[in-house]
mmCIF file of all heavy atoms in Angstrom:
data_model
loop_
_atom_site.group_PDB
_atom_site.id
_atom_site.type_symbol
_atom_site.label_atom_id
_atom_site.label_comp_id
_atom_site.label_asym_id
_atom_site.label_seq_id
_atom_site.Cartn_x
_atom_site.Cartn_y
_atom_site.Cartn_z
ATOM 1 N N ASP U 846 4.643 3.471 -12.347
ATOM 2 C CA ASP U 846 5.039 2.239 -11.754
ATOM 3 C C ASP U 846 6.556 2.197 -11.523
ATOM 4 O O ASP U 846 7.077 1.132 -11.094
ATOM 5 C CB ASP U 846 4.616 1.026 -12.682
ATOM 6 C CG ASP U 846 3.110 0.742 -12.583
ATOM 7 O OD1 ASP U 846 2.429 1.223 -11.694
ATOM 8 O OD2 ASP U 846 2.619 0.091 -13.523
ATOM 9 N N VAL U 847 7.244 3.252 -11.907
ATOM 10 C CA VAL U 847 8.676 3.392 -11.769
ATOM 11 C C VAL U 847 9.016 4.726 -11.176
ATOM 12 O O VAL U 847 8.252 5.684 -11.297
ATOM 13 C CB VAL U 847 9.461 3.137 -13.090
ATOM 14 C CG1 VAL U 847 9.280 1.715 -13.603
ATOM 15 C CG2 VAL U 847 9.117 4.133 -14.088
ATOM 16 N N TRP U 848 10.147 4.872 -10.577
ATOM 17 C CA TRP U 848 10.529 6.115 -9.968
ATOM 18 C C TRP U 848 10.842 7.248 -10.919
ATOM 19 O O TRP U 848 10.667 8.429 -10.642
ATOM 20 C CB TRP U 848 11.749 5.874 -9.040
ATOM 21 C CG TRP U 848 13.057 5.523 -9.704
ATOM 22 C CD1 TRP U 848 13.405 4.229 -10.069
ATOM 23 C CD2 TRP U 848 14.046 6.376 -10.228
ATOM 24 N NE1 TRP U 848 14.614 4.282 -10.621
ATOM 25 C CE2 TRP U 848 15.028 5.512 -10.787
ATOM 26 C CE3 TRP U 848 14.259 7.759 -10.176
ATOM 27 C CZ2 TRP U 848 16.178 6.030 -11.360
ATOM 28 C CZ3 TRP U 848 15.427 8.235 -10.799
ATOM 29 C CH2 TRP U 848 16.341 7.387 -11.343
ATOM 30 N N SER U 849 11.282 6.813 -12.202
ATOM 31 C CA SER U 849 11.499 7.815 -13.236
ATOM 32 C C SER U 849 11.152 7.196 -14.529
ATOM 33 O O SER U 849 11.974 6.521 -15.091
ATOM 34 C CB SER U 849 12.907 8.397 -13.151
ATOM 35 O OG SER U 849 13.143 9.193 -14.302
ATOM 36 N N HIS U 850 10.006 7.568 -15.065
ATOM 37 C CA HIS U 850 9.595 7.070 -16.418
ATOM 38 C C HIS U 850 10.678 7.407 -17.425
ATOM 39 O O HIS U 850 11.135 6.525 -18.221
ATOM 40 C CB HIS U 850 8.326 7.653 -16.772
ATOM 41 C CG HIS U 850 7.787 7.339 -18.144
ATOM 42 N ND1 HIS U 850 7.561 6.049 -18.572
ATOM 43 C CD2 HIS U 850 7.577 8.147 -19.192
ATOM 44 C CE1 HIS U 850 7.164 6.113 -19.841
ATOM 45 N NE2 HIS U 850 7.159 7.384 -20.210
ATOM 46 N N LYS U 851 11.093 8.658 -17.505
ATOM 47 C CA LYS U 851 12.102 9.063 -18.497
ATOM 48 C C LYS U 851 13.375 8.315 -18.442
ATOM 49 O O LYS U 851 13.948 7.944 -19.420
ATOM 50 C CB LYS U 851 12.327 10.642 -18.340
ATOM 51 C CG LYS U 851 13.211 11.171 -19.444
ATOM 52 C CD LYS U 851 13.361 12.714 -19.218
ATOM 53 C CE LYS U 851 14.229 13.328 -20.347
ATOM 54 N NZ LYS U 851 14.340 14.803 -20.172
ATOM 55 N N GLN U 852 13.920 8.167 -17.221
ATOM 56 C CA GLN U 852 15.237 7.545 -17.036
ATOM 57 C C GLN U 852 15.251 6.102 -17.199
ATOM 58 O O GLN U 852 16.236 5.395 -17.474
ATOM 59 C CB GLN U 852 15.796 7.944 -15.679
ATOM 60 C CG GLN U 852 16.149 9.392 -15.529
ATOM 61 C CD GLN U 852 16.788 9.715 -14.192
ATOM 62 O OE1 GLN U 852 17.882 9.292 -13.930
ATOM 63 N NE2 GLN U 852 16.067 10.510 -13.335
ATOM 64 N N LEU U 853 14.011 5.450 -17.087
ATOM 65 C CA LEU U 853 13.948 3.986 -17.236
ATOM 66 C C LEU U 853 13.427 3.444 -18.514
ATOM 67 O O LEU U 853 13.261 2.246 -18.690
ATOM 68 C CB LEU U 853 13.160 3.444 -16.053
ATOM 69 C CG LEU U 853 14.055 3.060 -14.788
ATOM 70 C CD1 LEU U 853 14.503 4.376 -14.105
ATOM 71 C CD2 LEU U 853 13.110 2.285 -13.752
ATOM 72 N N LEU U 854 13.195 4.379 -19.438
ATOM 73 C CA LEU U 854 12.564 3.896 -20.680
ATOM 74 C C LEU U 854 13.449 2.930 -21.501
ATOM 75 O O LEU U 854 12.934 2.163 -22.348
ATOM 76 C CB LEU U 854 12.291 5.138 -21.586
ATOM 77 C CG LEU U 854 10.945 5.857 -21.323
ATOM 78 C CD1 LEU U 854 10.863 7.124 -22.121
ATOM 79 C CD2 LEU U 854 9.752 4.913 -21.617
ATOM 80 N N LYS U 855 14.733 2.960 -21.238
ATOM 81 C CA LYS U 855 15.619 2.072 -21.934
ATOM 82 C C LYS U 855 16.173 1.004 -20.987
ATOM 83 O O LYS U 855 17.178 0.306 -21.342
ATOM 84 C CB LYS U 855 16.777 2.823 -22.564
ATOM 85 C CG LYS U 855 16.278 3.780 -23.729
ATOM 86 C CD LYS U 855 17.444 4.469 -24.444
ATOM 87 C CE LYS U 855 16.965 5.343 -25.540
ATOM 88 N NZ LYS U 855 18.080 6.067 -26.234
ATOM 89 N N ILE U 856 15.570 0.861 -19.798
ATOM 90 C CA ILE U 856 15.979 -0.091 -18.810
ATOM 91 C C ILE U 856 15.072 -1.248 -18.803
ATOM 92 O O ILE U 856 13.803 -1.067 -18.821
ATOM 93 C CB ILE U 856 16.052 0.503 -17.407
ATOM 94 C CG1 ILE U 856 17.033 1.733 -17.386
ATOM 95 C CG2 ILE U 856 16.465 -0.543 -16.349
ATOM 96 C CD1 ILE U 856 18.477 1.290 -17.721
ATOM 97 N N VAL U 857 15.526 -2.460 -18.836
ATOM 98 C CA VAL U 857 14.749 -3.750 -18.848
ATOM 99 C C VAL U 857 13.777 -3.651 -17.643
ATOM 100 O O VAL U 857 14.161 -3.471 -16.513
ATOM 101 C CB VAL U 857 15.576 -5.008 -18.801
ATOM 102 C CG1 VAL U 857 14.733 -6.248 -18.712
ATOM 103 C CG2 VAL U 857 16.419 -5.056 -20.137
ATOM 104 N N SER U 858 12.523 -3.955 -17.958
ATOM 105 C CA SER U 858 11.398 -3.950 -17.081
ATOM 106 C C SER U 858 10.423 -2.779 -17.361
ATOM 107 O O SER U 858 9.229 -2.788 -16.995
ATOM 108 C CB SER U 858 11.670 -3.931 -15.565
ATOM 109 O OG SER U 858 12.108 -2.657 -15.104
ATOM 110 N N HIS U 859 10.965 -1.744 -18.084
ATOM 111 C CA HIS U 859 10.142 -0.624 -18.378
ATOM 112 C C HIS U 859 10.258 -0.107 -19.817
ATOM 113 O O HIS U 859 9.751 0.995 -20.118
ATOM 114 C CB HIS U 859 10.420 0.585 -17.380
ATOM 115 C CG HIS U 859 9.433 1.647 -17.426
ATOM 116 N ND1 HIS U 859 8.061 1.368 -17.079
ATOM 117 C CD2 HIS U 859 9.474 3.011 -17.682
ATOM 118 C CE1 HIS U 859 7.390 2.572 -17.160
ATOM 119 N NE2 HIS U 859 8.221 3.513 -17.505
ATOM 120 N N THR U 860 10.934 -0.906 -20.662
ATOM 121 C CA THR U 860 10.948 -0.542 -22.080
ATOM 122 C C THR U 860 9.626 -0.584 -22.772
ATOM 123 O O THR U 860 8.737 -1.320 -22.248
ATOM 124 C CB THR U 860 11.952 -1.435 -22.898
ATOM 125 O OG1 THR U 860 11.383 -2.722 -22.853
ATOM 126 C CG2 THR U 860 13.304 -1.473 -22.236
ATOM 127 N N SER U 861 9.426 0.098 -23.772
ATOM 128 C CA SER U 861 8.010 0.177 -24.415
ATOM 129 C C SER U 861 7.639 -1.168 -24.956
ATOM 130 O O SER U 861 6.451 -1.527 -24.814
ATOM 131 C CB SER U 861 8.057 1.193 -25.521
ATOM 132 O OG SER U 861 8.999 0.914 -26.561
ATOM 133 N N VAL U 862 8.521 -1.982 -25.462
ATOM 134 C CA VAL U 862 8.163 -3.284 -26.001
ATOM 135 C C VAL U 862 7.603 -4.193 -24.911
ATOM 136 O O VAL U 862 6.704 -4.949 -25.117
ATOM 137 C CB VAL U 862 9.343 -3.898 -26.780
ATOM 138 C CG1 VAL U 862 10.466 -4.322 -25.876
ATOM 139 C CG2 VAL U 862 8.815 -5.201 -27.561
ATOM 140 N N GLU U 863 8.202 -4.039 -23.641
ATOM 141 C CA GLU U 863 7.713 -4.843 -22.579
ATOM 142 C C GLU U 863 6.352 -4.350 -22.007
ATOM 143 O O GLU U 863 5.408 -5.154 -21.738
ATOM 144 C CB GLU U 863 8.736 -4.871 -21.455
ATOM 145 C CG GLU U 863 10.057 -5.500 -21.789
ATOM 146 C CD GLU U 863 11.137 -5.206 -20.654
ATOM 147 O OE1 GLU U 863 11.106 -5.994 -19.715
ATOM 148 O OE2 GLU U 863 11.814 -4.186 -20.786
ATOM 149 N N THR U 864 6.331 -3.006 -21.791
ATOM 150 C CA THR U 864 5.091 -2.454 -21.146
ATOM 151 C C THR U 864 3.930 -2.650 -22.110
ATOM 152 O O THR U 864 2.853 -2.935 -21.631
ATOM 153 C CB THR U 864 5.303 -0.958 -20.852
ATOM 154 O OG1 THR U 864 5.610 -0.161 -22.015
ATOM 155 C CG2 THR U 864 6.428 -0.815 -19.797
ATOM 156 N N GLU U 865 4.160 -2.391 -23.411
ATOM 157 C CA GLU U 865 3.046 -2.575 -24.401
ATOM 158 C C GLU U 865 2.607 -4.066 -24.410
ATOM 159 O O GLU U 865 1.468 -4.359 -24.522
ATOM 160 C CB GLU U 865 3.463 -2.069 -25.770
ATOM 161 C CG GLU U 865 3.632 -0.544 -25.818
ATOM 162 C CD GLU U 865 4.284 -0.035 -27.075
ATOM 163 O OE1 GLU U 865 4.563 -0.929 -27.928
ATOM 164 O OE2 GLU U 865 4.672 1.116 -27.155
ATOM 165 N N GLY U 866 3.629 -4.972 -24.339
ATOM 166 C CA GLY U 866 3.318 -6.348 -24.339
ATOM 167 C C GLY U 866 2.479 -6.754 -23.113
ATOM 168 O O GLY U 866 1.455 -7.529 -23.321
ATOM 169 N N LEU U 867 2.862 -6.259 -21.934
ATOM 170 C CA LEU U 867 2.094 -6.625 -20.725
ATOM 171 C C LEU U 867 0.689 -6.085 -20.771
ATOM 172 O O LEU U 867 -0.268 -6.785 -20.348
ATOM 173 C CB LEU U 867 2.817 -6.269 -19.496
ATOM 174 C CG LEU U 867 2.286 -6.944 -18.237
ATOM 175 C CD1 LEU U 867 2.525 -8.481 -18.217
ATOM 176 C CD2 LEU U 867 2.896 -6.361 -16.937
ATOM 177 N N LEU U 868 0.523 -4.884 -21.240
ATOM 178 C CA LEU U 868 -0.799 -4.262 -21.345
ATOM 179 C C LEU U 868 -1.643 -5.018 -22.288
ATOM 180 O O LEU U 868 -2.870 -5.088 -22.118
ATOM 181 C CB LEU U 868 -0.624 -2.793 -21.662
ATOM 182 C CG LEU U 868 0.011 -1.860 -20.585
ATOM 183 C CD1 LEU U 868 0.298 -0.486 -21.130
ATOM 184 C CD2 LEU U 868 -0.889 -1.870 -19.315
ATOM 185 N N GLU U 869 -1.003 -5.513 -23.348
ATOM 186 C CA GLU U 869 -1.757 -6.346 -24.308
ATOM 187 C C GLU U 869 -2.282 -7.673 -23.691
ATOM 188 O O GLU U 869 -3.307 -8.126 -24.064
ATOM 189 C CB GLU U 869 -0.877 -6.563 -25.555
ATOM 190 C CG GLU U 869 -1.595 -7.179 -26.739
ATOM 191 C CD GLU U 869 -2.751 -6.366 -27.367
ATOM 192 O OE1 GLU U 869 -2.791 -5.139 -27.087
ATOM 193 O OE2 GLU U 869 -3.557 -6.905 -28.106
ATOM 194 N N VAL U 870 -1.384 -8.264 -22.888
ATOM 195 C CA VAL U 870 -1.802 -9.487 -22.140
ATOM 196 C C VAL U 870 -3.083 -9.179 -21.363
ATOM 197 O O VAL U 870 -4.045 -9.954 -21.383
ATOM 198 C CB VAL U 870 -0.684 -9.956 -21.170
ATOM 199 C CG1 VAL U 870 -1.171 -11.151 -20.293
ATOM 200 C CG2 VAL U 870 0.589 -10.366 -21.945
ATOM 201 N N MET U 871 -3.086 -8.050 -20.687
ATOM 202 C CA MET U 871 -4.289 -7.655 -19.919
ATOM 203 C C MET U 871 -5.512 -7.479 -20.750
ATOM 204 O O MET U 871 -6.589 -7.940 -20.489
ATOM 205 C CB MET U 871 -3.967 -6.429 -19.036
ATOM 206 C CG MET U 871 -3.228 -6.652 -17.780
ATOM 207 S SD MET U 871 -3.224 -5.195 -16.700
ATOM 208 C CE MET U 871 -1.729 -4.409 -17.215
ATOM 209 N N LYS U 872 -5.303 -6.719 -21.864
ATOM 210 C CA LYS U 872 -6.394 -6.420 -22.735
ATOM 211 C C LYS U 872 -6.966 -7.648 -23.386
ATOM 212 O O LYS U 872 -8.214 -7.862 -23.359
ATOM 213 C CB LYS U 872 -5.954 -5.385 -23.777
ATOM 214 C CG LYS U 872 -6.972 -4.971 -24.810
ATOM 215 C CD LYS U 872 -6.426 -3.973 -25.797
ATOM 216 C CE LYS U 872 -7.493 -3.525 -26.800
ATOM 217 N NZ LYS U 872 -6.968 -2.601 -27.821
ATOM 218 N N ARG U 873 -6.063 -8.444 -23.969
ATOM 219 C CA ARG U 873 -6.669 -9.612 -24.704
ATOM 220 C C ARG U 873 -7.247 -10.649 -23.767
ATOM 221 O O ARG U 873 -8.241 -11.298 -24.146
ATOM 222 C CB ARG U 873 -5.477 -10.337 -25.433
ATOM 223 C CG ARG U 873 -4.986 -9.568 -26.673
ATOM 224 C CD ARG U 873 -4.192 -10.485 -27.543
ATOM 225 N NE ARG U 873 -3.348 -9.806 -28.543
ATOM 226 C CZ ARG U 873 -2.521 -10.398 -29.338
ATOM 227 N NH1 ARG U 873 -2.443 -11.769 -29.332
ATOM 228 N NH2 ARG U 873 -1.850 -9.703 -30.170
ATOM 229 N N GLY U 874 -6.725 -10.748 -22.540
ATOM 230 C CA GLY U 874 -7.284 -11.732 -21.596
ATOM 231 C C GLY U 874 -8.371 -11.174 -20.749
ATOM 232 O O GLY U 874 -8.884 -11.890 -19.905
ATOM 233 N N ALA U 875 -8.785 -9.902 -20.945
ATOM 234 C CA ALA U 875 -9.814 -9.294 -20.118
ATOM 235 C C ALA U 875 -9.482 -9.318 -18.658
ATOM 236 O O ALA U 875 -10.429 -9.563 -17.816
ATOM 237 C CB ALA U 875 -11.179 -9.918 -20.441
ATOM 238 N N TRP U 876 -8.252 -9.050 -18.342
ATOM 239 C CA TRP U 876 -7.773 -9.034 -16.908
ATOM 240 C C TRP U 876 -7.947 -7.621 -16.279
ATOM 241 O O TRP U 876 -7.698 -6.622 -16.974
ATOM 242 C CB TRP U 876 -6.300 -9.407 -16.788
ATOM 243 C CG TRP U 876 -6.076 -10.822 -17.210
ATOM 244 C CD1 TRP U 876 -5.653 -11.328 -18.364
ATOM 245 C CD2 TRP U 876 -6.312 -11.988 -16.388
ATOM 246 N NE1 TRP U 876 -5.477 -12.699 -18.364
ATOM 247 C CE2 TRP U 876 -5.880 -13.149 -17.098
ATOM 248 C CE3 TRP U 876 -6.742 -12.204 -15.056
ATOM 249 C CZ2 TRP U 876 -5.945 -14.466 -16.603
ATOM 250 C CZ3 TRP U 876 -6.799 -13.490 -14.571
ATOM 251 C CH2 TRP U 876 -6.446 -14.598 -15.390
ATOM 252 N N LEU U 877 -8.304 -7.493 -15.019
ATOM 253 C CA LEU U 877 -8.358 -6.292 -14.320
ATOM 254 C C LEU U 877 -7.004 -6.163 -13.499
ATOM 255 O O LEU U 877 -6.544 -7.156 -12.831
ATOM 256 C CB LEU U 877 -9.505 -6.295 -13.282
ATOM 257 C CG LEU U 877 -10.922 -6.169 -13.817
ATOM 258 C CD1 LEU U 877 -11.872 -6.169 -12.637
ATOM 259 C CD2 LEU U 877 -11.028 -4.900 -14.660
ATOM 260 N N ASP U 878 -6.390 -5.026 -13.542
ATOM 261 C CA ASP U 878 -5.319 -4.663 -12.799
ATOM 262 C C ASP U 878 -5.787 -4.199 -11.387
ATOM 263 O O ASP U 878 -6.017 -2.998 -11.186
ATOM 264 C CB ASP U 878 -4.472 -3.601 -13.455
ATOM 265 C CG ASP U 878 -3.166 -3.192 -12.754
ATOM 266 O OD1 ASP U 878 -2.890 -3.735 -11.647
ATOM 267 O OD2 ASP U 878 -2.359 -2.324 -13.262
ATOM 268 N N LEU U 879 -5.866 -5.138 -10.504
ATOM 269 C CA LEU U 879 -6.479 -4.844 -9.177
ATOM 270 C C LEU U 879 -5.670 -3.793 -8.388
ATOM 271 O O LEU U 879 -6.266 -2.961 -7.590
ATOM 272 C CB LEU U 879 -6.725 -6.105 -8.359
ATOM 273 C CG LEU U 879 -7.690 -7.081 -8.939
ATOM 274 C CD1 LEU U 879 -7.837 -8.291 -7.997
ATOM 275 C CD2 LEU U 879 -9.058 -6.397 -9.128
ATOM 276 N N MET U 880 -4.379 -3.775 -8.522
ATOM 277 C CA MET U 880 -3.588 -2.844 -7.772
ATOM 278 C C MET U 880 -3.795 -1.445 -8.117
ATOM 279 O O MET U 880 -3.530 -0.483 -7.407
ATOM 280 C CB MET U 880 -2.108 -3.192 -7.927
ATOM 281 C CG MET U 880 -1.712 -4.522 -7.287
ATOM 282 S SD MET U 880 0.013 -4.966 -7.487
ATOM 283 C CE MET U 880 0.859 -3.670 -6.591
ATOM 284 N N ARG U 881 -4.304 -1.208 -9.366
ATOM 285 C CA ARG U 881 -4.619 0.147 -9.770
ATOM 286 C C ARG U 881 -6.127 0.447 -9.665
ATOM 287 O O ARG U 881 -6.605 1.532 -10.088
ATOM 288 C CB ARG U 881 -4.121 0.364 -11.253
ATOM 289 C CG ARG U 881 -2.582 0.529 -11.375
ATOM 290 C CD ARG U 881 -2.217 1.812 -10.671
ATOM 291 N NE ARG U 881 -0.774 2.124 -10.810
ATOM 292 C CZ ARG U 881 -0.151 3.146 -10.271
ATOM 293 N NH1 ARG U 881 -0.857 3.958 -9.492
ATOM 294 N NH2 ARG U 881 1.101 3.368 -10.501
ATOM 295 N N GLN U 882 -6.932 -0.441 -9.163
ATOM 296 C CA GLN U 882 -8.343 -0.235 -9.108
ATOM 297 C C GLN U 882 -8.709 0.884 -8.090
ATOM 298 O O GLN U 882 -9.547 1.726 -8.343
ATOM 299 C CB GLN U 882 -9.170 -1.560 -8.702
ATOM 300 C CG GLN U 882 -10.593 -1.317 -8.681
ATOM 301 C CD GLN U 882 -11.345 -2.636 -8.773
ATOM 302 O OE1 GLN U 882 -11.262 -3.335 -9.801
ATOM 303 N NE2 GLN U 882 -12.110 -3.001 -7.771
ATOM 304 N N HIS U 883 -7.951 0.931 -6.977
ATOM 305 C CA HIS U 883 -8.173 1.949 -5.956
ATOM 306 C C HIS U 883 -7.056 2.981 -5.836
ATOM 307 O O HIS U 883 -7.136 3.861 -5.058
ATOM 308 C CB HIS U 883 -8.432 1.319 -4.589
ATOM 309 C CG HIS U 883 -9.642 0.432 -4.569
ATOM 310 N ND1 HIS U 883 -9.832 -0.520 -3.581
ATOM 311 C CD2 HIS U 883 -10.736 0.388 -5.274
ATOM 312 C CE1 HIS U 883 -10.961 -1.159 -3.752
ATOM 313 N NE2 HIS U 883 -11.573 -0.555 -4.846
ATOM 314 N N VAL U 884 -6.007 2.782 -6.639
ATOM 315 C CA VAL U 884 -4.877 3.689 -6.697
ATOM 316 C C VAL U 884 -4.775 4.264 -8.090
ATOM 317 O O VAL U 884 -4.428 3.507 -8.971
ATOM 318 C CB VAL U 884 -3.582 3.028 -6.259
ATOM 319 C CG1 VAL U 884 -2.425 4.043 -6.271
ATOM 320 C CG2 VAL U 884 -3.604 2.495 -4.877
ATOM 321 N N PRO U 885 -5.027 5.536 -8.274
ATOM 322 C CA PRO U 885 -4.953 6.094 -9.622
ATOM 323 C C PRO U 885 -3.633 5.906 -10.294
ATOM 324 O O PRO U 885 -2.584 5.817 -9.714
ATOM 325 C CB PRO U 885 -5.197 7.632 -9.358
ATOM 326 C CG PRO U 885 -5.851 7.634 -8.068
ATOM 327 C CD PRO U 885 -5.315 6.547 -7.214
ATOM 328 N N ALA U 886 -3.676 5.798 -11.631
ATOM 329 C CA ALA U 886 -2.415 5.603 -12.382
ATOM 330 C C ALA U 886 -1.467 6.827 -12.258
ATOM 331 O O ALA U 886 -0.303 6.664 -12.585
ATOM 332 C CB ALA U 886 -2.790 5.382 -13.872
ATOM 333 N N SER U 887 -1.941 7.896 -11.793
ATOM 334 C CA SER U 887 -1.144 9.040 -11.597
ATOM 335 C C SER U 887 -0.296 9.124 -10.335
ATOM 336 O O SER U 887 0.563 9.870 -10.124
ATOM 337 C CB SER U 887 -1.958 10.404 -11.577
ATOM 338 O OG SER U 887 -2.922 10.259 -10.551
ATOM 339 N N GLU U 888 -0.494 8.018 -9.436
ATOM 340 C CA GLU U 888 0.189 7.939 -8.208
ATOM 341 C C GLU U 888 1.298 6.872 -8.283
ATOM 342 O O GLU U 888 1.130 5.801 -8.964
ATOM 343 C CB GLU U 888 -0.710 7.552 -7.089
ATOM 344 C CG GLU U 888 -1.703 8.653 -6.673
ATOM 345 C CD GLU U 888 -2.559 8.243 -5.511
ATOM 346 O OE1 GLU U 888 -2.144 7.351 -4.664
ATOM 347 O OE2 GLU U 888 -3.676 8.834 -5.233
ATOM 348 N N LYS U 889 2.406 7.145 -7.673
ATOM 349 C CA LYS U 889 3.510 6.182 -7.645
ATOM 350 C C LYS U 889 3.086 4.925 -6.838
ATOM 351 O O LYS U 889 2.453 4.995 -5.853
ATOM 352 C CB LYS U 889 4.775 6.836 -7.058
ATOM 353 C CG LYS U 889 5.355 7.989 -7.794
ATOM 354 C CD LYS U 889 6.013 7.502 -9.087
ATOM 355 C CE LYS U 889 6.728 8.653 -9.753
ATOM 356 N NZ LYS U 889 7.347 8.252 -11.067
ATOM 357 N N LEU U 890 3.551 3.797 -7.396
ATOM 358 C CA LEU U 890 3.239 2.503 -6.729
ATOM 359 C C LEU U 890 4.365 1.520 -7.015
ATOM 360 O O LEU U 890 4.592 1.197 -8.187
ATOM 361 C CB LEU U 890 1.870 2.014 -7.335
ATOM 362 C CG LEU U 890 1.218 0.943 -6.554
ATOM 363 C CD1 LEU U 890 0.787 1.410 -5.112
ATOM 364 C CD2 LEU U 890 -0.057 0.402 -7.323
ATOM 365 N N TYR U 891 5.060 1.074 -5.937
ATOM 366 C CA TYR U 891 6.189 0.155 -6.102
ATOM 367 C C TYR U 891 6.052 -1.096 -5.268
ATOM 368 O O TYR U 891 5.440 -1.058 -4.180
ATOM 369 C CB TYR U 891 7.525 0.872 -5.707
ATOM 370 C CG TYR U 891 7.745 2.273 -6.252
ATOM 371 C CD1 TYR U 891 8.311 3.311 -5.451
ATOM 372 C CD2 TYR U 891 7.356 2.650 -7.498
ATOM 373 C CE1 TYR U 891 8.623 4.546 -5.926
ATOM 374 C CE2 TYR U 891 7.593 3.871 -8.023
ATOM 375 C CZ TYR U 891 8.202 4.843 -7.229
ATOM 376 O OH TYR U 891 8.422 6.071 -7.737
#
Side-chain angles (χ1 to χ4, degrees):
D846 288 342
V847 295
W848 64 273
S849 172
H850 173 63
K851 183 177 180 180
Q852 293 184 67
L853 271 67
L854 278 172
K855 295 184 179 180
I856 302 299
V857 174
S858 78
H859 194 60
T860 65
S861 60
V862 67
E863 294 170 89
T864 59
E865 290 168 8
L867 193 65
L868 292 173
E869 187 67 15
V870 173
M871 279 192 268
K872 181 180 178 181
R873 289 196 196 180
W876 294 99
L877 288 182
D878 181 356
L879 293 181
M880 293 176 67
R881 283 297 185 183
Q882 183 159 296
H883 295 160
V884 179
S887 59
E888 292 186 19
K889 295 290 188 183
L890 197 62
Y891 311 144

